[in-house]
Amino acid sequence: MFAAHPPASVVASDDFAHPRPRDLGVQSAMVSLTNTTAPDNEQTLRLLLVEDNPLFAEQICAAVAQQAQAWSIHTASEGQQALALVREPRQHFDLALIDMGLPDISGLEVIKACHKQFPDLPIVVISVVAAEPVVLSAIEAGAKGYLLKDESIQQITKGIAQVMEGIYPLSPSLARFLFKKLAGEQNTAAHDTDFKLTPRELETLRFLSQGLSYDRVAQQMGVALSTIQSNVRNLYRKLNVRSQVQAITKARNHDLL
């Protein structure tokens, strides 16, 4: 697909005023892909790459280098670093690739911030997280595509090219889930919107909708894992659902989230 084009120039960029030891491997990997150190210009596209795995970040840079356009890559290995970059004055990006499993905050928060700051920015998740509630939450937060890290580098390269053409990529396994969900979803008005959820049950549901595991939810709420498991059982019973994704979807349909 890209044989007709010479590799694009990839310009590594460090957009943070303070040293970021965790990012050094990523930045080094990016610089090794190109000999150019030219600054941004009007023809150079700007990519925000939020990824804490240096080896995978290098693969992403290799995929970007296969594109016909010239790219300036701006990286963050942690969510807070990404938020600071997004909120810089006169900032802009042409594409954002965001991992959901960041070491400090959820990638979902980064997606929300990007979508709020740049409503038209194409945002694509590239993650190992394939849990149905996380995928739905990312799309609802503003993501326009979702690729799994177990895809081949060729598929990721194709996905990046599709985004720039206005086609938003979705890993096949996720596409099957979404189409199945849409096909089986019933648009029925609720006769009883008072599910009598306790504040702690609602808090549990909110954390789960952000893609956190039961263990992480327990840590965030300062309770035992067994308490979270009990809250989930109560949520299923009160909402009359059988899965986590059904519980989150129903809660959103009734403006509980």
Side-chain angles (χ1 to χ4, degrees), residues 84-138:
L85 182 54
V86 166
R87 292 164 181 164
E88 282 188 357
R90 297 180 299 280
Q91 184 64 276
H92 81 275
F93 295 104
D94 298 286
L95 174 64
L97 301 178
I98 300 173
D99 184 13
M100 294 297 286
L102 300 173
D104 53 351
I105 61 174
S106 170
L108 188 64
E109 298 304 313
V110 181
I111 294 172
K112 290 177 179 177
C114 284
H115 186 61
K116 180 179 180 180
Q117 194 78 5
F118 315 109
D120 297 324
L121 174 67
I123 302 170
V124 177
V125 174
I126 302 184
S127 180
V128 297
V129 180
E132 297 170 0
V134 177
V135 177
L136 290 175
S137 296

Side-chain angles (χ1 to χ4, degrees), residues 5 37-38 46 52 68 71 106 124 137 147 163 249 252 257:
H5 301 288
T37 56
R46 293 169 60 84
D52 67 319
W71 286 88
S106 170
V124 177
S137 296
L147 296 173
V163 172
T249 300
R252 287 189 172 131
L257 291 176

Side-chain angles (χ1 to χ4, degrees), residues 31-161:
V31 173
S32 70
L33 291 174
T34 178
N35 292 323
T36 180
T37 56
D40 291 356
N41 56 49
E42 292 182 359
Q43 287 73 42
T44 301
L45 300 177
R46 293 169 60 84
L47 168 65
L48 172 63
L49 175 59
V50 186
E51 171 59 56
D52 67 319
N53 184 324
L55 294 178
F56 190 75
E58 183 176 359
Q59 288 184 308
I60 295 297
C61 291
V64 171
Q66 296 299 313
Q67 310 302 313
Q69 305 96 332
W71 286 88
S72 172
I73 302 178
H74 305 261
T75 67
S77 62
E78 296 183 351
Q80 292 292 352
Q81 294 170 350
L83 294 181
L85 182 54
V86 166
R87 292 164 181 164
E88 282 188 357
R90 297 180 299 280
Q91 184 64 276
H92 81 275
F93 295 104
D94 298 286
L95 174 64
L97 301 178
I98 300 173
D99 184 13
M100 294 297 286
L102 300 173
D104 53 351
I105 61 174
S106 170
L108 188 64
E109 298 304 313
V110 181
I111 294 172
K112 290 177 179 177
C114 284
H115 186 61
K116 180 179 180 180
Q117 194 78 5
F118 315 109
D120 297 324
L121 174 67
I123 302 170
V124 177
V125 174
I126 302 184
S127 180
V128 297
V129 180
E132 297 170 0
V134 177
V135 177
L136 290 175
S137 296
I139 293 173
E140 290 174 354
K144 301 299 184 184
Y146 203 114
L147 296 173
L148 298 177
K149 286 186 176 180
D150 58 7
E151 300 281 356
S152 67
I153 190 65
Q154 290 80 11
Q155 286 298 110
I156 292 175
T157 301
K158 179 181 178 181
I160 294 172

Side-chain angles (χ1 to χ4, degrees), residues 225-243:
L225 176 60
S226 59
T227 300
I228 300 303
Q229 293 169 332
S230 176
N231 287 349
V232 171
R233 287 193 296 270
N234 290 336
L235 287 166
Y236 285 10
R237 175 177 55 81
K238 292 180 179 181
L239 294 173
N240 192 25
V241 296
R242 296 184 178 182
S243 71

